[in-house]
Amino acid sequence: MAGHIQRTSRQGHGIKLSYYDFGATPFFACQMDQRFSYCLHVPEGYSETDAKIYNLAVIVHGTGRTATWYRDRFADFADNNDCIILAPLFPVGIIEPGELSNYKRIDFHGIRYDHILLSMVDEVCAKYRVRDDGFLMYGYSGGGQFCQRFFMLHPQRLRAVSIGAPGVVTLLNADYDWWVGVRDIEQRFGHRINLEAMRRVEVQTVIGSEDTQTWEITIPRDSKLWMDGAELQGENRLDRIEALAGSFEAGGIRVRRNVVSGIAHSPFDMAGPAEEFFTTVISKTK
């Protein structure tokens, strides 16, 4: 069938792992909360009988929930870098029918999407041999929103984070509450910003040079999402990713800025720079 992704060339089950635990896997329900699920790409060469330790990359979808597209797009990178890909699925309409942005700000009606993602990671680490010094994380657009906030909350779990063109950003600004800033982060999430840990994570921002449309990301003052200080992030995604990178750098966090010439808001064109960034990170830590 044209466009069909071959799931795996293996024949039969493994020793403890199923046939469906290799290659492009089905979606597995998260055992912490079965409303949420994830799929994997496990390299063809993964063996249950050797000692090779694999990298783990978490690829977070945007508003369109194209989890399988991201999983399959990063498959060659995974095979070439001994890396397992984890692509979570956070469905539209959790609690509020039709609500599109539930996962992006981490806490939604008491659902902690960061904890759900970490539960998925723990499930994968229990099943496969995965490095214990942190995972890689990439997200674009809505996924970029999740990744930048996850990074602020759990830098000790990350080796690297690539943040692609988030429509709304949270700045490392202690003068404003979440989501604009981080003043109330301890009361809201139970722990403080750990700048030392954030400085140890490799950070990339990536965006197209023509990503100037504002129709999807403008927050009206009468919106329930509006907060004082929202205007500090800038008007469009280029302004906002620059404000985010600048706030990181003001905290002593090094940022690799990638602006891709001639590209507007296009998730399919940003995966390449993220792969290049992750390849560099992996090569440093082999």
Side-chain angles (χ1 to χ4, degrees), residues 66-83:
T66 52
T68 55
W69 185 91
Y70 280 113
R71 187 267 312 272
D72 296 338
R73 173 62 180 80
F74 279 81
D76 286 345
F77 159 81
D79 291 340
N80 293 332
N81 289 280
D82 296 329
C83 186

Side-chain angles (χ1 to χ4, degrees), residues 11 17 22 24 37-38 40 46 69 78 80 92 94 100 118 135 147 151 156 200 218 220 235 247 252 255 275:
Q11 297 294 315
L17 299 179
F22 300 98
S37 60
Y38 60 93
L40 307 172
Y46 186 91
W69 185 91
N80 293 332
V92 172
I94 297 294
L100 290 164
L118 286 171
F135 54 89
C147 288
F151 170 48
Q156 73 281 359
R200 291 192 290 268
T218 298
E235 182 178 357
S247 81
V255 179
E275 289 177 327

